[in-house]
Amino acid sequence: MSRTRWRFGLAATAFLVTAGLMPAPAHAEDTADYAITVDPAAKGAKIDDTMYGVFFEDINRAADGGLYAELVQNRSFEYSTDDNRSYTPLTSWTVDGTGQVVNDDGRLNARNRNYLSLAAGSTVTNAGYNTGVHVEEGKKYDFSVWARAESGTTLTVSLQDADGGLATARQVAAKGGWAKYKATFTATRTSSNGRLTVASSAAAALDMVSLFPRDTYKHQANGLRKDLAEKIAALQPGFVRFPGGCLVNTGSMEDYSEASGYQRKRSYQWKDTIGPVEERATNSNFWGYNQSYGLGYYEYFRLSEDIGAMPLPVVPALVTGCGQNQAVDDEVLLKRHIQDTLDLIEFANGPVTSTWGKKRARMGHPKPFHLTHIEVGNEENLPVEFFARFKEFRAAIAAKYPDITVISNSGPDDAGSTFDTAWQLNKDAKVDMVDEHYYNSPQWFLQNNDRYDSYDRSGPKVFLGEYASWGNAFKNGLAEAAFMTGLERNADVVKLASYAPLFANEDYVQWQPDLVWFNNHASWNSANYEVQKLFMTNVGDRVVPSTATGTPSLTGPIAGAVGLSTWATTAAYDDVKVTDADGNSLLSDDFSGDASKWTHTGAGSWSVQDGQYVQTDVAAENTMVSAGDTNWHDYDVQVKATKKSGKEGFLVAFGVKDTGNYYWWNLGGWNNTQSAVEQAVDGGKSTLISKAGSVETGRAYDIDIKVRGRQVTLYLDGQEWGSFTDDKPAEPFRQVVTKDKKTGDLIVKVVNAQSTAARTAIDLGGAKVASKARVTTLTADPNAVNSETETPVAPVTSTFDGVAGRFTYTFPENSVTFLRIKQR
């Protein structure tokens, strides 16, 4: 796209609407013309059956309170301030009478540290998740508890809500040392506000208080919530990546034992998560809550098997990430983790005569799980330190299990120094596969359809293990769909891909967007889910080469006001000057008076202090203030910035259109470890250029940003820091064609991410085809969002009776369309 030439046209106008650059056209119902040419005689890339999968991480209460069907929260009284500052061992419990949580030698077992001591005549009630315990009329629920009591003790167990009982109460006679007691309820009515109460007639000790729906996925005990597991299965994923994510490469790398002091903030280690649930460790979840490990590696392998997916576990590499960024220098610990990884492979694949294969068999699965891939590490920001350890893992695995594919990674971003260093190390060592992660704006995904076109065909293959555009509206799904056509076109390089994260409980959200949303009684598919499902269930076996015309592009210079901001930091700004390309002043403010030129649109607290504009809330994020005209272009921004305190540095914005559309130079971001220019489009940010570096507290920095057309040059203390040109077209019309070997179908997949229909001449290159095609279409308003009560984004199937060697099809505005065409 030229930054100096303006090319007008209807399709171009529609594209700008999608990109948020100008108002909607008056005639959005008009049609733009395109052409797709298919070459069925040419041989494109082979697409593996495992191309698309899912990534499950325990974030947003995805496990406890989510996929793991347990209805009792904090069932073993292990919640701790290590998990969340607001937690106590009785979080989600209410005691009526006398009861206290005890940590002494009378516990159930060494790894289950706490239990409840309940006095005679006292009760304890659990609040469940979300609004309470959810039960459905006529369905059975299995209760169990581990108890220690004097002879003659009766435990009375009941289910009720504010309107009364939800099932007939049950009584259990408990006596003697620790033993497990069971009862079954049949719900007499449906409620999402239930409470589970245990009353004791005499003094008793309780632990592992549990209530499970009988109707779990595949009817497994200690099982999975049916509706959520079914949503995974409906995607027909080729693989399931698990368990992280940040859970893998954060916290202590020690085990949960007396020798290590029963450390709570640990990386996810697979041996903690198998065996009887009452003997599994507990852990502080990186995302700010507790994880019980009721859903552990065995259940994960079972789920993968049940849905016909390849298991793809991720193990710690002893280099922390996700803001912690420390390399663990302990050779003994490293060797232990390497052995743990070898033991994991044996647990998955070993015969019942092997040590870990026998443990698998004892858990109920004598047959192997057929593990073929394993990933070491996740998003490490220290590529050199990570790779030194990765090589030791890979060598040990290759020596014992040469058929296992060992996957490395390239850090947390789509570009930058960490990414480049990691990729070079992976290439030099001839690594089999490299995991890439990125979360960017919809515009970035529209701009980067060709990302993998230029990758080395003989180098490491790509596993796109985590990606998403910032949002769950249909416009996000459209952008992701457009990008996925590029993934398929490059299926010889991109061998695996998974949107992330998978689940979010609407009342416990740490991260969004997410693929599936739920509460304690319902679940619903995001618009992104519908896009993923359409691609995952219509993959095809081979790419059929094709070409398409593009959209005439229309773009002007980067234009907008200027801004100042902070992120978890206090900072002072002074001597702001904006001048046009001829040196004329557009804005000058030394804050000797007030700050009336500035509009506060973000969080935080701003005031003029001693001739500086100061943001004083150290906890506030994105505290943007802006000044100037949104039509300004070709200008220089100069400002003095001083960090006062906090985690990061400061942010100077330019090209500010509104609160969701701007550029900013983020100096000292990511916990003061790197600086970058980020572009926000409709609130979703993408990184355009980044470098390692930090900001000193108390030092005044001179910042100068020169904007010329679509080129930006950045200066720090008079020295050029970097530059970039933002002129890549965000093409809204994308397509790919694949062939289904089993049916012989040609699958024409077209994304039209603009508010204009695309009338398209399709030339099938002489292929002999039937006249009818099965059509699946996703179309909706770009801002449409699915919810518990409304699903505006849902597939519609139809038949098109006009297919020929050459034919015309009009793809609706804002749509993803798959045409399945039978070849004769």
Side-chain angles (χ1 to χ4, degrees):
M1 180 188 294
S2 168
R3 64 183 177 86
T4 56
R5 183 180 302 162
W6 290 59
R7 298 169 60 192
F8 289 88
L10 176 63
T13 303
F15 156 63
L16 281 183
V17 174
T18 303
L21 300 178
M22 65 182 292
H27 303 288
E29 72 277 13
D30 289 348
T31 305
D33 289 321
Y34 294 88
I36 296 173
T37 303
V38 184
D39 185 0
K43 202 170 186 180
K46 180 182 181 296
I47 307 175
D48 295 339
D49 292 340
T50 52
M51 173 74 179
Y52 294 121
V54 295
F55 167 46
F56 180 89
E57 179 176 10
D58 188 359
I59 184 174
N60 309 314
R61 286 281 187 192
D64 295 333
L67 183 61
Y68 186 50
E70 174 65 76
L71 298 174
V72 175
Q73 185 175 175
N74 189 17
R75 66 182 177 187
S76 58
F77 310 100
E78 296 291 341
Y79 277 25
S80 163
T81 52
D82 285 337
D83 309 323
N84 189 296
R85 276 183 282 183
S86 68
Y87 281 2
T88 75
L90 281 173
T91 292
S92 80
W93 292 98
T94 302
V95 174
D96 185 5
T98 303
Q100 62 178 343
V101 174
V102 180
N103 179 343
D104 65 15
D105 291 341
R107 63 179 64 88
L108 178 60
N109 60 64
R111 284 155 68 90
N112 198 326
R113 308 293 293 167
N114 292 346
Y115 63 93
L116 179 68
S117 176
L118 197 63
S122 299
T123 66
V124 62
T125 299
N126 190 265
Y129 295 95
N130 301 93
T131 56
V133 174
H134 174 70
V135 295
E136 295 181 37
E137 182 178 356
K139 291 196 173 181
K140 293 184 182 299
Y141 296 85
D142 293 323
F143 167 83
S144 64
V145 63
W146 283 81
R148 188 187 68 213
E150 297 298 326
S151 179
T153 299
T154 299
L155 301 178
T156 301
V157 189
S158 58
L159 273 169
Q160 68 284 322
D161 63 10
D163 295 326
L166 295 170
T168 301
R170 295 286 185 256
Q171 291 189 334
V172 174
K175 62 178 181 178
W178 286 108
K180 187 175 184 179
Y181 301 93
K182 300 178 181 180
T184 298
F185 292 96
T186 300
T188 54
R189 56 187 175 87
T190 296
S191 175
S192 296
N193 306 305
R195 299 291 187 267
L196 176 75
T197 296
V198 181
S200 182
S201 64
L206 307 179
D207 206 347
M208 294 297 292
V209 184
S210 174
L211 186 69
F212 259 91
R214 180 78 56 85
D215 188 19
T216 56
Y217 185 64
K218 302 289 185 180
H219 300 286
Q220 292 178 12
N222 193 44
L224 307 181
R225 179 169 149 176
K226 191 175 182 180
D227 63 323
L228 297 183
E230 286 177 342
K231 288 189 182 302
I232 303 175
L235 293 169
Q236 300 175 22
F239 65 89
V240 182
R241 180 176 181 253
F242 175 96
C246 290
L247 301 190
V248 165
N249 66 339
T250 55
S252 168
M253 298 293 164
E254 299 286 351
D255 63 1
Y256 191 62
S257 67
E258 183 178 10
S260 64
Y262 294 104
Q263 294 186 38
R264 290 290 293 261
K265 295 184 177 182
R266 308 183 316 284
S267 62
Y268 196 109
Q269 300 174 46
W270 78 272
K271 289 180 180 178
D272 286 343
T273 77
I274 65 166
V277 290
E278 68 274 7
E279 295 177 9
R280 298 183 189 182
T282 187
N283 202 359
S284 171
N285 184 295
F286 173 81
W287 298 107
Y289 53 91
N290 177 271
Q291 52 188 344
S292 72
Y293 289 141
L295 174 57
Y297 257 83
Y298 177 76
E299 290 77 23
Y300 153 63
F301 281 133
R302 285 289 300 266
L303 171 64
S304 301
E305 181 180 66
D306 285 342
I307 64 177
M310 175 181 78
L312 204 164
V314 188
V315 298
L318 274 73
V319 178
T320 60
C322 301
Q324 297 182 358
N325 303 334
Q326 296 290 324
V328 179
D329 190 15
D330 185 329
E331 192 64 26
V332 173
L333 194 57
L334 175 62
K335 290 186 182 304
R336 194 267 285 174
H337 275 267
I338 291 172
Q339 185 58 51
D340 281 355
T341 302
L342 297 175
D343 292 344
L344 172 60
I345 299 170
E346 183 175 287
F347 178 76
N349 294 349
V352 294
T353 54
S354 66
T355 300
W356 291 98
K358 184 183 296 183
K359 290 183 183 292
R360 181 194 69 238
R362 286 176 178 170
M363 292 187 72
H365 201 283
K367 293 182 179 179
F369 284 116
H370 306 295
L371 177 68
T372 59
H373 292 62
I374 196 163
E375 182 172 356
V376 177
N378 169 76
E379 292 188 10
E380 280 71 29
N381 252 320
L382 303 173
V384 174
E385 292 85 344
F386 160 73
F387 204 74
R389 290 154 179 78
F390 170 83
K391 288 193 296 184
E392 293 196 48
F393 277 87
R394 185 177 67 157
I397 295 169
K400 191 168 184 180
Y401 301 106
D403 295 333
I404 296 288
T405 298
V406 185
I407 303 171
S408 179
N409 76 82
S410 58
D413 300 306
D414 60 86
S417 58
T418 296
F419 179 89
D420 293 340
T421 300
W423 255 107
Q424 192 60 55
L425 290 167
N426 285 308
K427 286 181 179 178
D428 291 347
K430 294 181 169 52
V431 169
D432 290 331
M433 189 176 289
V434 178
D435 188 1
E436 293 189 354
H437 295 178
Y438 37 81
Y439 298 88
N440 289 315
S441 69
Q443 177 167 299
W444 185 93
F445 284 93
L446 292 174
Q447 289 175 320
N448 285 276
N449 175 274
D450 63 349
R451 175 179 177 87
Y452 297 105
D453 290 1
S454 59
Y455 269 50
D456 182 359
R457 272 35 212 174
S458 61
K461 302 306 180 185
V462 172
F463 171 24
L464 181 50
E466 297 183 31
Y467 73 98
S469 70
W470 290 113
N472 277 142
F474 187 49
K475 63 187 174 186
N476 300 96
L478 285 169
E480 290 154 6
F483 189 73
M484 292 171 80
T485 66
L487 299 182
E488 291 194 4
R489 187 176 64 252
N490 290 286
D492 57 327
V493 169
V494 183
K495 306 304 288 183
L496 306 169
S498 50
Y499 179 102
L502 178 58
F503 285 126
N505 185 320
E506 65 174 351
D507 293 331
Y508 308 93
V509 178
Q510 296 87 42
W511 180 280
Q512 50 187 325
D514 304 285
L515 205 60
V516 175
W517 289 78
F518 65 93
N519 50 39
N520 67 352
H521 62 274
S523 57
W524 54 97
N525 304 332
S526 67
N528 319 65
Y529 176 98
E530 295 297 352
V531 166
Q532 291 290 323
K533 183 179 179 182
L534 189 56
F535 275 84
M536 292 168 79
T537 56
N538 293 276
V539 182
D541 302 283
R542 188 173 290 279
V543 175
V544 180
S546 60
T547 57
T549 53
T551 307
S553 57
L554 168 64
T555 187
I558 292 174
V562 298
L564 309 171
S565 190
T566 60
W567 198 286
T569 302
T570 65
Y573 294 92
D574 201 359
D575 296 332
V576 179
K577 297 177 183 178
V578 183
T579 55
D580 67 18
D582 297 322
N584 301 310
S585 178
L586 300 175
L587 173 70
S588 180
D589 201 338
D590 63 2
F591 303 106
S592 57
D594 57 26
S596 57
K597 297 176 183 178
W598 298 84
T599 301
H600 185 190
T601 57
S605 179
W606 289 86
S607 61
V608 175
Q609 300 178 12
D610 300 324
Q612 296 180 312
Y613 201 20
V614 184
Q615 198 293 114
T616 56
D617 186 343
V618 73
E621 299 179 346
N622 193 1
T623 64
M624 179 87 81
V625 291
S626 60
D629 191 325
T630 56
N631 293 313
W632 281 353
H633 61 87
D634 295 288
Y635 56 70
D636 294 0
V637 187
Q638 294 176 306
V639 61
K640 289 186 182 296
T642 306
K643 174 182 176 177
K644 296 287 192 180
S645 64
K647 296 179 180 179
E648 305 207 345
F650 28 78
L651 304 117
V652 179
F654 55 97
V656 179
K657 291 294 188 183
D658 52 45
T659 56
N661 295 276
Y662 54 85
Y663 300 79
W664 68 19
W665 188 4
N666 184 350
L667 285 146
W670 295 271
N671 285 325
N672 205 16
T673 61
Q674 62 179 312
S675 299
V677 176
E678 297 177 281
Q679 180 185 16
V681 179
D682 292 337
K685 289 197 288 289
S686 302
T687 300
L688 303 181
I689 180 176
S690 68
K691 293 182 179 180
S694 60
V695 167
E696 297 176 26
T697 301
R699 173 183 165 187
Y701 289 83
D702 288 318
I703 295 168
D704 185 1
I705 303 171
K706 296 187 184 298
V707 183
R708 295 293 184 271
R710 300 202 67 81
Q711 182 173 344
V712 178
T713 308
L714 306 110
Y715 298 86
L716 187 62
D717 289 335
Q719 301 296 314
E720 183 174 332
W721 177 87
S723 64
F724 67 92
T725 302
D726 181 28
D727 63 354
K728 199 168 188 180
E731 172 59 58
F733 185 83
R734 297 291 189 185
Q735 60 81 38
V736 70
V737 181
T738 65
K739 182 178 179 179
D740 187 324
K741 183 179 179 181
K742 184 176 180 180
T743 64
D745 292 354
L746 290 176
I747 312 173
V748 180
K749 312 174 186 184
V750 176
V751 181
N752 182 28
Q754 59 186 331
S755 298
T756 300
R759 182 171 53 213
T760 307
I762 301 174
D763 184 347
L764 296 179
K768 304 297 183 183
V769 294
S771 62
K772 290 185 178 181
R774 181 158 60 90
V775 185
T776 306
T777 307
L778 288 171
T779 185
D781 183 279
N783 294 309
V785 176
N786 287 350
S787 68
E788 181 182 353
T789 56
E790 295 182 297
T791 53
V793 183
V796 175
T797 58
S798 60
T799 300
F800 175 65
D801 191 6
V803 179
R806 295 180 179 178
F807 67 100
T808 298
Y809 190 92
T810 299
F811 296 95
E813 62 186 66
N814 302 309
S815 66
V816 183
T817 307
F818 280 27
L819 301 171
R820 289 194 74 113
I821 302 171
K822 288 200 174 297
Q823 294 191 90
R824 292 188 301 197

